[in-house]
Amino acid sequence: MMPLPPCMLVLRLPVRSRMRRFYVPFFLIWAPALLLGILLAPLVIIISLVCWSRGGRRLLLAGPLVLVALCALRGFQMDINDPDAHFGVSLC
Amino acid sequence: MLRRKKMLNDRRRILDMLEQGKINAADAERLLSALGSGESAAQSAGEGPSGRSERPRPRYLRVVVAERPATLDNPTVNIRVPLQLLRAGMRFSSLLPESARVPVEGALKDKGFSFDLKDISPEMLEEFVDAFAEFSLDVNDDEDQVRIFCE
């Protein structure tokens, strides 16, 4: 079963010698992105059909694959605690 | 656990009936054999197709780097990558045009990996990811300690 796309991006950055967390609500952009995708879908399909022999099939497949890759990013986490660099990002 | 206890109780009841004379030795042997085959079937129900106990499938690839003498509880670098991303990334190989796929396969073949990218099936990928469950790599030197594993 495909996981849901990530809802929140959490950034951990040093601010004035202290580590602060910044929350970016991804779920607020999914709805407008979905609407934009639905509006652009007919145009993408037409372009794919016109350019079918020159890679239009890949254009048609790329959209769902990008969505699958975005959904697969849920759970990604990276924390760097080096004396010279402090940085953290997680997608949940 | 409950199934095992039930089977022990059934075995005890059979022996009690034999002692009380309600069944003869042949019937007791037949009943115990039937119980034993049921027990082995119940045990194998908890095993996977390979005959091994089902292990939880790995979900993340972890890379942990710690500077000595720090412990891995407070690592310098901690990266967790969902293995689902590996599956999704392999699907992108279907987007590779022929002009790009052939040089990639040629480069892989030069390094000793002789296979076609388009022959990678979902079943093969699932087997590869399942094999990752037992993957673990530890590198220790004087300054750093690196650990790569799946969980």
Side-chain angles (χ1 to χ4, degrees):
Chain A
M1 197 170 95
M2 196 173 76
L4 294 173
C7 298
M8 189 79 70
L9 170 68
V10 182
L11 291 171
R12 202 167 60 92
L13 299 169
V15 176
R16 294 177 189 171
S17 72
R18 287 189 66 179
M19 293 300 293
R20 302 280 185 183
R21 288 178 187 264
F22 298 92
Y23 297 88
V24 180
F26 266 16
F27 58 87
L28 292 179
I29 66 171
W30 287 130
L34 180 64
L35 186 61
L36 188 65
I38 291 172
L39 291 174
L40 291 177
L43 182 63
V44 171
I45 291 172
I46 291 170
I47 293 175
S48 301
L49 291 174
V50 169
C51 305
W52 189 260
S53 60
R54 287 174 291 174
R57 175 180 162 269
R58 293 187 192 90
L59 178 65
L60 205 58
L61 290 176
L65 289 181
V66 168
L67 181 62
V68 168
L70 280 173
C71 293
L73 277 174
R74 190 183 179 110
F76 174 79
Q77 181 180 353
M78 182 171 67
D79 293 306
I80 310 293
N81 293 312
D82 193 67
D84 300 326
H86 289 272
F87 174 74
V89 61
S90 62
L91 287 163
C92 52
Chain B
M1 183 76 163
L2 288 175
R3 191 181 290 130
R4 175 100 181 135
K5 195 174 177 182
K6 180 180 181 301
M7 286 183 179
L8 287 173
N9 290 338
D10 290 340
R11 197 182 290 270
R12 186 69 202 171
R13 280 171 54 195
I14 294 169
L15 294 174
D16 287 340
M17 285 194 294
L18 178 63
E19 188 181 11
Q20 294 164 9
K22 293 180 181 178
I23 57 174
N24 56 22
D27 290 338
E29 185 181 1
R30 184 172 49 80
L31 288 171
L32 287 171
S33 299
L35 201 62
S37 61
E39 186 176 350
S40 61
Q43 279 179 355
S44 61
E47 294 176 352
S50 60
R52 296 179 298 173
S53 298
E54 281 291 338
R55 301 173 60 116
R57 301 187 74 190
R59 294 181 59 192
Y60 301 103
L61 175 70
R62 291 280 306 276
V63 178
V64 182
V65 179
E67 287 182 358
R68 289 179 174 274
T71 64
L72 289 173
D73 293 332
N74 187 21
T76 306
V77 175
N78 180 23
I79 299 174
R80 186 179 74 176
V81 180
L83 285 175
Q84 196 77 9
L85 194 61
L86 177 68
R87 297 185 182 96
M90 291 304 294
R91 293 189 190 184
F92 276 96
S93 65
S94 63
L95 295 182
L96 277 177
E98 192 76 18
S99 56
R101 190 174 54 81
V102 171
V104 168
E105 288 176 355
L108 287 172
K109 198 172 284 187
D110 291 340
K111 297 295 180 184
F113 297 98
S114 177
F115 63 89
D116 292 331
L117 290 175
K118 59 184 178 184
D119 291 339
I120 297 177
S121 63
E123 293 78 21
M124 194 187 299
L125 191 56
E126 290 302 320
E127 276 188 43
F128 179 68
V129 172
D130 286 341
F132 256 153
E134 300 178 21
F135 171 76
S136 177
L137 177 67
D138 292 302
V139 179
N140 297 312
D141 65 7
D142 294 334
E143 296 179 355
D144 297 309
Q145 191 176 359
V146 180
R147 188 157 176 241
I148 302 175
F149 58 98
C150 289
E151 63 178 15

